[in-house]
């Protein structure tokens, strides 16, 4: 996946979890959980959505790598 596809996937997954969340207003290095007020279940659903949308397996040990958009881009890119 390229960067634009990953950003679109992240935005799409977040729209299903927290429709009021605006990914466009979040810096790449900002913690998504804090910036978008995601609780632990929301974040877990975000990771599951990334997995389903990308086909990339994401073990729980790697969840901290996905706390920022920069991390998501690096992990799935």
């Amino acid at each position: 996946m390229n960067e634009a596809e990953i950003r679109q996937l992240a935005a799409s997954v977040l729209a299903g979890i927290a429709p009021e969340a605006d990914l466009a207003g979040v810096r790449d290095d900002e913690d998504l959980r804090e910036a978008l007020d995601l609780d632990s279940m929301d974040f877990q659903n975000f990771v599951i959505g990334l997995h389903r949308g990308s086909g990339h397996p994401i073990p729980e040990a790697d969840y901290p790598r996905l706390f920022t958009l920069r991390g998501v881009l690096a992990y799935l890119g």
Side-chain angles (χ1 to χ4, degrees):
M1 296 183 79
N2 65 37
E3 183 176 324
E5 292 170 328
I6 296 168
R7 286 181 186 274
Q8 178 57 43
L9 173 60
S12 176
V13 170
L14 284 169
I17 295 167
E20 71 286 350
D22 180 15
L23 188 59
V26 178
R27 294 184 323 270
D28 285 359
D29 62 344
E30 197 170 358
D31 190 317
L32 295 169
R33 299 164 304 157
E34 292 177 17
L36 301 174
D37 196 28
L38 301 176
D39 63 23
S40 59
M41 287 303 294
D42 290 338
F43 184 74
Q44 185 174 19
N45 286 329
F46 174 63
V47 174
I48 290 168
L50 293 176
H51 162 68
R52 288 181 179 158
S54 69
H56 192 289
I58 305 173
E60 190 172 348
D62 288 348
Y63 285 14
R65 296 174 62 185
L66 305 173
F67 287 165
T68 65
L69 189 54
R70 180 177 292 149
V72 171
L73 293 168
Y75 193 85
L76 296 178

